[in-house]
Amino acid sequence: MDEEITADDGRRPAVVPEEPRQSDEPHEPLAHEKAEQAARIEQTSRSFGITPEQYMLPAAQQIRMLSPDGSLIPEEEQGTSAGHEYPVPEDEALLAAYEALVVGRRINDQNYALVRQGRLAVYPSSHGQEACQVGAALALGADDWMFPTYRDSVAIMTRGVDPVEVMVSFRGDWHCGFDPIAHRVSAPSTPLTTQLLHAVGVAHAAKLRGEDTVVLAMCGDGATSEGDFHEALNFAAVFEVPVVFFVQNNGYAISVPLSHQSAAPSLAHKAIGYGMAGEQVDGNDMVAVLATLRRAVSLARERSMPLLLEATTYRMQAHTNADDDTRYRDAHEVELWRRHDPLTRVQTFLSSRGVLDDDAASRISDRAEEVAASLRTAMTADPPIDPLEIFDHVYAAPTAQLREQRAQLADELARGQED
Amino acid sequence: MDEEITADDGRRPAVVPEEPRQSDEPHEPLAHEKAEQAARIEQTSRSFGITPEQYMLPAAQQIRMLSPDGSLIPEEEQGTSAGHEYPVPEDEALLAAYEALVVGRRINDQNYALVRQGRLAVYPSSHGQEACQVGAALALGADDWMFPTYRDSVAIMTRGVDPVEVMVSFRGDWHCGFDPIAHRVSAPSTPLTTQLLHAVGVAHAAKLRGEDTVVLAMCGDGATSEGDFHEALNFAAVFEVPVVFFVQNNGYAISVPLSHQSAAPSLAHKAIGYGMAGEQVDGNDMVAVLATLRRAVSLARERSMPLLLEATTYRMQAHTNADDDTRYRDAHEVELWRRHDPLTRVQTFLSSRGVLDDDAASRISDRAEEVAASLRTAMTADPPIDPLEIFDHVYAAPTAQLREQRAQLADELARGQED
Amino acid sequence: MAAPDLEPRAADPGAALRATTFAAALNTALSDAMAAEPSVCVFGEDVGTLGGVFRITDGLARRFGEDRCFDTPLAESGIAGMAAGMAMNGMRPVVEMQFDAFAYPGLEQIFSHIAKFGNRTRGRVRIPLVVRIPYGGGVGGVEHHCDSSEAYYAHTPGLKIYTPATVADAYLMLREAVDSPDPVIFFEPKKLYWSKEPVDLEALRRQYEDGASDSGGPGGSGEAGADPDGVGAAGRAVVARAGTDVSLISYGPTVATALAAAESAAEDGVSAEVLDLRSLVPFDDAALTATVEKTGRAIVVAEAQGFASVAGEIVARIQERCFHSLASPVRRVTGFDIPYPSPKLEQHHLPDVDRVLDALDMLQWED
Amino acid sequence: MAAPDLEPRAADPGAALRATTFAAALNTALSDAMAAEPSVCVFGEDVGTLGGVFRITDGLARRFGEDRCFDTPLAESGIAGMAAGMAMNGMRPVVEMQFDAFAYPGLEQIFSHIAKFGNRTRGRVRIPLVVRIPYGGGVGGVEHHCDSSEAYYAHTPGLKIYTPATVADAYLMLREAVDSPDPVIFFEPKKLYWSKEPVDLEALRRQYEDGASDSGGPGGSGEAGADPDGVGAAGRAVVARAGTDVSLISYGPTVATALAAAESAAEDGVSAEVLDLRSLVPFDDAALTATVEKTGRAIVVAEAQGFASVAGEIVARIQERCFHSLASPVRRVTGFDIPYPSPKLEQHHLPDVDRVLDALDMLQWED
Ligand SMILES: Cc1ncc(C[n+]2csc(CCOP(=O)(O)OP(=O)(O)O)c2C)c(N)n1
Ligand SMILES: Cc1ncc(C[n+]2csc(CCOP(=O)(O)OP(=O)(O)O)c2C)c(N)n1
Ligand SMILES: [Mg+2]
Ligand SMILES: [Mg+2]
């Protein structure tokens, strides 16, 4: 479709300079030059036969493919529309996702237990959000990057990082445990939203080298309020880098509900303010999550542009073990969400479809037990940590000051041993 | 109009909880509670017979009432539409605005001259942007507040602050010159965008006391990229405070053009991401600027809610006297914008309308000369500054440390005088 | 934490003393300040319904309503900036930064505006707000949750920096901070939150409110007319334990360490005086000079990494002002110059009694 | 600014020396670094087309293309954060903060990530970037344009802090900063930008590149194998003027002040040694100790407000390490503890020769 799109909702299409500006032929005054990203958006929306605004605003309702009871929703009711089309992933991919979901849930529960046994200092559980976790990892290619938060341990493990390594920092060690470069997964970020800018930087570096790396940048609903969210989305759009911003809207930032966080119709509505497309997905629907993330990743890669995806989900447990969620939400609300558990929904679907038979189910649950068991064993062992290492990585080579301080501690430790 | 609005562009209306949430009757799961501001927006858009999205997105084209040659544009071509309606201000108000415009231009030019004579250390001129400056000041009531930047001296003066006081800091003194509380104009902010949050705070304090103060918060196009812009708009929407965010988009942040600043269809498109209405106006059209600002101020006041107004304008001179604008824009572009000078446009309009006759014109130009002359006289005098005062206002009462340091300087000054 | 030997602002000893936590004292101080002055409002992340992750604001929203104590969107620059604006318009905001390192997004607002607004308006617009920052380690916190960031703020002219070390001070200094006409960064040693001391908060309230009204306005000290400098009582250091041989200078979380070290030293026949600075800005040079001139030796004990720290400043001030009284170089016992290490290693980083005693041994006693 | 008497890294004296500005040296350093290493890229506000408000990046976009030198949207946290990400992915970003106070929105990224990432990944992810910050006053700048903010960064473990005081150092230290495996905050004294010295940049380039390749990698010093500590040449202080009676310790913009004061003092028969620290982190304790042990008296001269400053740290280190060599307390000559004052009053705030000489008079010469 190549004709000029006339905005059919009565709004203007974005003003796009047709050609690079010539110094002797300035553009129309009383308007300012628009970014190239606008041209890309114009082209993209045109290819879908819709206006740029229609492309950038989220679809009329969140994308949902599985009903709460696990049956496939008829295509015309999935929330998709022109330019907002999401093919249902193949059975094979869904089965793999289901397996990761089961393992992820098992890990969440295992870690919860380890915290109670004092084996972990803290664990921010993603129980209830595993469809988002799994989708994030499975939508990416091997050379893509992921920027997770403290809540995204299951996503990191699904990406292939050894669960034991992921738990190192929560166990109370001083470093992140795994090698971010080898796995193309950054060390999970605790200062909220800051990691989205790193994601943009990683994508920009790749783009400058001509690589088509997509970066998935994760954050929560609360995190969207931070200034860095704004700066990251804006940088990504202006530099036209393939970053998929993936917001897990679980309704709370610790105790603060979404209604105190934003007055927007949806968080996905923020996208248009940066000149990128936004979409909302049912984050407890494994099928829809995978479908939307996959398309976001491929659009980002093909057209070298960022997108914003908001997944509506729910954190079933407290913020962390240190939190008491009964102070700010009632058990009934949690109960209601339990009925929409991402795991049972897709399980019902895959069983009814014959993709998940008893064999597969027991193989998967065995694997989950195995992962949990090895996590348990590893966490029960208490590997010694060398205190002197705290000086070794502050700089590539320790400064004279740090060598002095290291010597002081070494001396104290030696004397301590003599006692 | 009280019926349910069905989104006629095929998008969903914002989900609004109809009643306050009851703990025994939780809201529909798989969605999170929306802010009260959403209800306010819903109600507002309903009163205009449009959807919330239509209300929050800017009108299809920027609001413009005067053509570049100064004739009134037919109403149906002004860019207004349902919910985006802007009555043309009365002649009397326009004449007052014209007068302020002439005085403002004269001040800009006088200050430019004073800089060249070394009487001012620096002056960021708003030459070309005076319609925005004047509109900002005239749209506010006496009890309202204004939060200007370094470029908004003309707005501050139009609000009634003595030009000489406004110039104190640009002359090189250590304080802002005027009393912000007395004038309800904050000390102009140099750290970009930071002042928008102060504006939200002032509005919030007023609201908590039950006052209906509107706060006009000003910034430039470049400033919209800062994290504080995001945080300020979000806080304003979540706390439902009457702040009008007024962006003067002059196309450049020093040398950086808008296209490097944002890829959005317009800066006004950012509003919907916070759940507020955005609008774009021709910032060189005094009539449209006043019309849109007035309505924004009254909507903000009546409904206690924020709005975002983007005025497209142009800075005719360099960023400041320290800047060399030939490095980043060509003379031809500047020349094109000169043809859309806000002053001549409204002058032509008011003359043709018979509102501005020769008497009025000469009275106004006399007044401008008077203001300029007294500014000149004041700036030529070099009032002594007491160096010891630099210690006196750091705290409400100087600390012992500052008293020591003050004594040291006093001693040095005394010895210096003995030399 | 042991109650200090010397607590000049302790409540009437006749009053019933109950074991009171540091956290309860802060909570009561906020509550009393809100009751006393309607312009005081409390906001931040999770401070409303939840009562703060440390429960310091527990019950305030219920008691005073959501206009006076409320949650904000998750944005620290927004919190600081909105507080500045509210302070410009007649309010006295008390904001909470959830953890030390999470205050950093607000630094521009704090450095460029909150600290400077009074000065740049020639005193016409004061910013009377309090930024409460739970700080320091010793609680098993993971990365970014245990920074000691007081030096950043102390280096910034225009801010006052308070940090209480006792339960009574938690109450009294927070009351003063709220009443101060200047912005106060109020550092709360998070490892003290659940420490208890026998303190009568009711008596402290009376003491504070009588004192404040005696001296005719906010920030007044307990003793009427005794505050010619306008620093308030919070601006003064306190001798937490008297001694003659060496001065242990500390503040916030390390006052307890210093006291414990003094206890140990006493067993070895060394009489250590412990100075609790309480306020870092303004700084009580008179108290510092008095103790060092008395003892001739000093150790500064603080948690933050040492380089370009407040501890460094204290050492510099001692040698500038007491050089000829010093029998030995002043020593610092501080955190190392590394990012705060993990729960499993923090005990190696934090100044402890042994490290203070080591420093003490090196004070050239043979001279 | 007068050329220092002693410039151990000056170019081959045989070479043709041209009057070169500090700004040109920085510009050439960036250009040479970009030519030498394709992963080096330069970005920030107005650094592309305009070449920076101080023109330090002039011509780089033209020469290396817009992929290598470009303007960003106006957001300092964005600049710092994106730079961190690019550094994680193989680039060596050099970013410009337009003025000192405008770097503050980026502090969270700098403190919590840039400084810590190497450590928190156990050295697996290094962040080799440079944040250039024009700093200090003396240029008639209005408010927020003249902060000396080095203490905030110097107090933060994980960052290196360089600040050159000579044209040759502007070139050499910036080259080293770009090649450093660690994040470097590079403070450029803006009042020196247009100062000139006779310097052969071409020779410096050869000197640097030969040295760097000799020592087998980035950050190498000019002398092969002479850098066992890995601090690079930039990590070492330099005696800018030799003397015997008193040590004037300074860095960046005040090295010139110290040299001028030394000149004056010489007329009065006092021989002052001037130490140019160059790097604040790592800190050259050996050089500091050497000069103070030689002279027995010291004055620290720095522009920043004194409280909890780098100057305070230096005083503390001197007394900790050279106590018994000191004939008199170490004195500080710094800015006052006030917000940087206006163009009309900055001369009263900035350390100047008279103030250094006043301090010198107070060094108890009669003892
Ligand atoms: C900059 C910053 N401020 C505050 C915090 C403290 N904090 C940790 S998690 C959290 C809530 C985050 O909510 P959300 O982004 O919705 O993510 P969720 O925990 O729900 O996954 C807060 C306030 C932080 N980590 N970083
Ligand atoms: C936080 C911050 N960063 C950088 C600057 C330096 N600076 C001053 S004005 C300016 C450009 C602002 O552009 P815009 O917001 O469009 O306003 P205009 O000057 O065009 O009116 C810059 C980068 C600053 N003042 N504050
Ligand atoms: Mg959340
Ligand atoms: Mg602009």
Side-chain angles (χ1 to χ4, degrees), chain D residues 284-329:
Chain D
D284 192 342
D285 279 309
L288 182 73
T289 306
T291 182
V292 177
E293 284 182 349
K294 176 162 94 174
T295 64
R297 286 180 170 84
I299 298 171
V300 181
V301 189
E303 258 191 54
Q305 60 273 17
F307 198 86
S309 64
V310 173
E313 175 65 30
I314 299 167
V315 174
R317 297 186 96 78
I318 293 174
Q319 84 84 40
E320 284 162 351
R321 288 156 198 261
C322 315
F323 185 75
H324 295 288
S325 310
L326 285 175
S328 158

Side-chain angles (χ1 to χ4, degrees), chain C residues 80-351:
Chain C
M82 182 169 81
M86 291 176 75
M88 286 178 200
N89 197 6
M91 307 295 284
R92 289 184 170 263
V94 182
V95 303
E96 174 172 307
M97 297 290 168
Q98 202 160 80
F99 284 88
D100 26 64
F102 306 146
Y104 300 157
L107 287 179
E108 183 192 27
Q109 285 287 351
I110 295 173
F111 291 172
S112 289
H113 286 300
I114 291 174
K116 291 179 176 153
F117 228 88
N119 189 64
R120 64 195 289 265
T121 59
R122 208 177 195 168
R124 281 153 168 163
V125 183
R126 291 269 155 222
I127 308 288
L129 58 76
V130 180
V131 180
R132 294 181 37 245
I133 305 185
Y135 82 124
V139 297
V142 292
E143 53 168 1
H144 307 293
H145 286 76
C146 301
D147 284 14
S148 288
S149 49
E150 66 274 19
Y152 299 138
Y153 304 89
H155 182 58
T156 306
L159 304 174
K160 287 183 174 171
I161 317 292
Y162 292 174
T163 180
T166 69
V167 172
D169 269 355
Y171 181 88
L172 291 167
M173 292 176 70
L174 185 50
R175 291 295 312 263
E176 273 199 51
V178 175
D179 286 340
S180 167
D182 299 306
V184 177
I185 314 294
F186 195 83
F187 281 97
E188 302 170 0
K190 61 175 94 73
K191 82 163 157 210
L192 296 186
Y193 275 146
W194 310 115
S195 69
K196 282 183 184 169
E197 289 173 60
V199 159
D200 180 352
L201 289 176
E202 185 56 32
L204 288 182
R205 186 178 64 74
R206 265 180 280 117
Q207 176 191 328
Y208 178 78
E209 290 183 359
D210 292 354
S213 54
D214 277 7
S215 69
S221 83
E223 307 128 79
D227 186 29
D229 318 347
V231 298
R236 294 190 212 292
V238 155
V239 175
R241 174 189 176 113
T244 51
D245 300 337
V246 57
S247 301
L248 306 182
I249 321 291
S250 61
Y251 56 88
T254 49
V255 173
T257 317
L259 286 167
E263 202 71 45
S264 262
E267 288 164 23
D268 291 345
V270 175
S271 164
E273 178 148 303
V274 174
L275 189 70
D276 173 1
L277 287 171
R278 304 168 81 245
S279 169
L280 305 181
V281 180
F283 190 88
D284 192 342
D285 278 310
L288 182 73
T289 306
T291 184
V292 178
E293 284 182 349
K294 179 163 91 172
T295 65
R297 287 180 169 84
I299 298 172
V300 181
V301 189
E303 260 191 52
Q305 59 273 18
F307 198 88
S309 64
V310 173
E313 175 65 29
I314 299 167
V315 174
R317 295 186 98 78
I318 293 174
Q319 85 82 40
E320 284 162 351
R321 288 155 198 261
C322 314
F323 185 74
H324 295 289
S325 310
L326 286 175
S328 159
V330 183
R331 299 196 70 91
R332 278 186 271 186
V333 179
T334 68
F336 297 120
D337 290 308
I338 60 173
Y340 194 87
S342 70
K344 296 219 171 182
L345 296 178
E346 64 181 349
Q347 82 271 21
H348 297 297
H349 175 72
L350 290 171

Side-chain angles (χ1 to χ4, degrees), chain C residues 68-80:
Chain C
R68 304 277 310 276
C69 175
F70 54 88
D71 293 328
T72 63
L74 212 168
E76 294 78 10
S77 185
I79 292 168

Side-chain angles (χ1 to χ4, degrees), chain D residues 14-360:
Chain D
L17 298 183
R18 279 198 309 170
T20 306
T21 63
F22 200 89
L26 293 169
N27 179 269
T28 307
L30 290 174
S31 184
D32 288 355
M34 292 174 87
E37 171 53 54
S39 64
V40 176
C41 58
V42 170
F43 55 93
E45 294 158 10
D46 300 291
V47 301
T49 310
L50 188 65
V53 295
F54 293 109
R55 305 292 186 267
I56 306 304
T57 59
D58 195 26
L60 300 181
R62 248 192 331 276
R63 175 164 173 205
F64 297 100
E66 295 211 343
D67 278 359
R68 305 274 314 273
C69 175
F70 54 88
D71 293 329
T72 63
L74 212 168
E76 293 78 9
S77 185
I79 292 168
M82 182 170 80
M86 292 177 74
M88 286 177 200
N89 197 7
M91 307 293 285
R92 290 186 170 263
V94 182
V95 303
E96 174 172 307
M97 296 290 168
Q98 202 160 79
F99 284 89
D100 26 63
F102 306 146
Y104 300 157
L107 287 180
E108 183 192 29
Q109 285 288 351
I110 294 173
F111 291 172
S112 288
H113 286 300
I114 291 174
K116 291 179 177 154
F117 228 89
N119 189 64
R120 63 195 289 265
T121 59
R122 208 175 193 168
R124 283 152 168 165
V125 183
R126 291 268 155 224
I127 307 289
L129 58 75
V130 180
V131 180
R132 294 181 37 244
I133 304 183
Y135 82 124
V139 297
V142 292
E143 53 168 1
H144 308 291
H145 285 77
C146 301
D147 284 14
S148 289
S149 49
E150 66 274 19
Y152 299 138
Y153 304 89
H155 182 57
T156 307
L159 304 174
K160 288 184 174 170
I161 316 292
Y162 292 175
T163 179
T166 68
V167 171
D169 270 355
Y171 180 88
L172 291 167
M173 292 175 70
L174 185 50
R175 292 293 313 262
E176 273 200 53
V178 174
D179 285 341
S180 167
D182 299 306
V184 177
I185 314 294
F186 195 84
F187 280 98
E188 301 171 1
K190 60 175 95 71
K191 82 164 158 210
L192 296 187
Y193 275 146
W194 310 115
S195 69
K196 282 183 187 172
E197 288 173 62
V199 159
D200 179 353
L201 290 177
E202 185 57 32
L204 288 182
R205 185 177 65 73
R206 264 181 280 116
Q207 176 191 329
Y208 178 77
E209 290 183 358
D210 292 354
S213 54
D214 277 5
S215 69
S221 83
E223 307 129 81
D227 186 30
D229 318 347
V231 298
R236 294 189 211 292
V238 154
V239 175
R241 174 190 174 112
T244 52
D245 300 338
V246 57
S247 302
L248 306 182
I249 322 290
S250 61
Y251 56 86
T254 49
V255 172
T257 316
L259 286 167
E263 201 71 45
S264 262
E267 288 163 24
D268 292 345
V270 174
S271 164
E273 178 149 304
V274 174
L275 189 71
D276 173 0
L277 288 171
R278 304 168 79 245
S279 169
L280 305 180
V281 180
F283 190 88
D284 192 342
D285 279 309
L288 182 73
T289 306
T291 182
V292 177
E293 284 182 349
K294 176 162 94 174
T295 64
R297 286 180 170 84
I299 298 171
V300 181
V301 189
E303 258 191 54
Q305 60 273 17
F307 198 86
S309 64
V310 173
E313 175 65 30
I314 299 167
V315 174
R317 297 186 96 78
I318 293 174
Q319 84 84 40
E320 284 162 351
R321 288 156 198 261
C322 315
F323 185 75
H324 295 288
S325 310
L326 285 175
S328 158
V330 183
R331 300 196 69 92
R332 279 186 271 187
V333 178
T334 68
F336 296 120
D337 290 309
I338 60 172
Y340 194 88
S342 69
K344 295 219 173 183
L345 297 178
E346 64 181 349
Q347 85 270 22
H348 298 297
H349 175 72
L350 291 170
D352 63 5
V353 170
D354 284 347
R355 221 169 256 165
V356 176
L357 294 176
D358 282 353
L360 211 106

Side-chain angles (χ1 to χ4, degrees), chain B residues 279-337:
Chain B
E279 199 72 279
Q280 245 193 319
V281 63
D282 178 346
N284 285 17
D285 174 352
M286 185 72 250
V287 180
V289 168
L290 196 59
T292 47
L293 273 170
R294 276 179 161 198
R295 182 157 176 273
V297 168
S298 71
L299 269 179
R301 194 182 327 273
E302 283 156 22
R303 304 188 186 233
S304 188
M305 62 186 199
L307 297 101
L308 170 63
L309 187 63
E310 175 193 3
T312 310
T313 181
Y314 198 79
R315 149 168 76 66
M316 297 300 295
Q317 293 168 349
H319 175 73
T320 66
N321 43 303
D323 178 37
D324 172 8
D325 62 334
T326 62
R327 283 190 158 237
Y328 54 82
R329 62 184 187 184
D330 49 63
H332 193 60
E333 179 183 292
V334 181
E335 215 33 64
L336 274 176
W337 278 88

Side-chain angles (χ1 to χ4, degrees), chain B residues 220-222 248-253:
Chain B
D221 47 312
Q248 288 170 76
N249 173 3
N250 61 10
Y252 289 91

